[in-house]
Amino acid sequence: MIGLNLGPGHGSEVSATSAILLYSQKTGGVIYGTVHPVSQPSDGDRAAIGPGRPIDRTALLSCLGELSANAAPKAEFLPETVLAVSQSAVTWWCRPGLRRVFFDCRELGKRTAIVPHPGLVFHAATNGFSVFALQRDGRPTPDSVLQEPPYFNTWDAGKICIGSAQVPRRIDIQSIAGWESGFFESAFTHPNHGGKRVNHPKGEFAFWKAMLDGEYPAEFPKDFLIPMKATLADLIRGKLGD
């Protein structure tokens, strides 16, 4: 079956019902088009494109009209924590506070504790899931400088190694809680290769041992955060790492 999950604003998977083929000259420019039915077999075989017929103006305008109507975003309430929404990504802010973390690694063992976290920016997109820390506690602005995420299981540019974590299939506002749960409720197992995540004099294992031992019970020690050469605006515009 040829299927597609359209993400934000669309509730279920859709399947292909017809295809349009366009014919062009070698020098460029479309000169002819045909429309074809698409068969969706129930036995698991591949979908097949059937015989075509010439596209007429009425059918083409009708198709474009339906696409326009269905692509129009439906109005929905935006929580204060939502920072940006597009067809391919949702970006939101997580307030600083106490949350439980889980560790399962040779250096720290299997441990869990409720520890303070800085303000965080999460970005769930079709090309990956990422997280960034913030120096300030309030809602970030486009000029806010992103900080390295002080967590294990993260790559450079904030990318999260999802591994076996259970995360939503959809990328929309309603799925934000599921994406956060997938991050916080999975075990941190190792620091990924790349740059430093925390500026602790004895390294990331010593930092997280201190956190798990309760040396910072009330507020995340922001002096250990490492600023990135990127702002929230860079993230939203897809320019992080450029």
Side-chain angles (χ1 to χ4, degrees):
M1 175 178 290
I2 301 176
L4 177 67
N5 191 309
L6 296 180
H10 296 270
S12 61
E13 189 174 274
V14 297
S15 59
T17 56
S18 60
I20 293 176
L21 299 181
L22 302 177
Y23 300 83
S24 305
Q25 295 175 319
K26 292 183 179 180
T27 55
V30 176
I31 61 171
Y32 189 68
T34 54
V35 61
H36 304 251
V38 175
S39 62
Q40 297 283 1
S42 58
D43 57 4
D45 289 343
R46 290 187 177 183
I49 297 178
R53 58 180 174 79
I55 297 176
D56 59 65
R57 177 181 173 84
T58 302
L60 185 57
L61 291 176
S62 176
C63 177
L64 292 175
E66 289 183 25
L67 284 174
S68 177
N70 290 324
K74 296 177 175 60
E76 58 182 316
F77 176 77
L78 296 180
E80 179 193 5
T81 54
V82 174
L83 302 173
V85 181
S86 71
Q87 288 295 320
S88 60
V90 176
T91 308
W92 69 95
W93 164 57
C94 184
R95 291 181 177 85
L98 299 174
R99 298 189 73 148
R100 184 173 292 279
V101 291
F102 301 86
F103 280 80
D104 186 1
C105 61
R106 178 174 55 84
E107 293 82 358
L108 298 175
K110 289 187 177 182
R111 298 191 61 181
T112 180
I114 295 176
V115 302
H117 297 261
L120 300 173
V121 169
F122 284 99
H123 184 73
T126 53
N127 64 349
F129 186 28
S130 29
V131 62
F132 309 87
L134 296 166
Q135 271 287 350
R136 296 185 179 180
D137 291 345
R139 189 178 193 270
T141 66
D143 294 331
S144 295
V145 176
L146 301 176
Q147 313 286 310
E148 289 282 355
Y151 303 105
F152 289 9
N153 300 10
T154 58
W155 302 97
D156 290 341
K159 293 291 186 182
I160 297 169
C161 178
I162 295 177
S164 60
Q166 299 297 311
V167 296
R169 293 182 61 187
R170 295 177 57 183
I171 298 172
D172 55 19
I173 294 171
Q174 289 75 25
S175 302
I176 285 177
W179 285 98
E180 281 190 23
S181 296
F183 177 74
F184 285 114
E185 294 176 9
S186 60
F188 294 126
T189 57
H190 61 281
N192 287 28
H193 295 298
K196 291 174 61 176
R197 300 289 177 258
V198 290
N199 195 24
H200 190 279
K202 295 184 179 180
E204 55 273 282
F205 290 109
F207 169 77
W208 276 107
K209 183 179 186 303
M211 293 287 287
L212 293 166
D213 289 344
E215 293 187 21
Y216 307 98
E219 186 175 351
F220 185 90
K222 296 176 187 172
D223 288 345
F224 294 137
L225 290 176
I226 300 174
M228 302 175 66
K229 295 180 179 180
T231 65
L232 176 58
D234 294 327
L235 174 64
I236 293 172
R237 295 169 185 162
K239 297 185 177 297
L240 188 61
D242 286 357

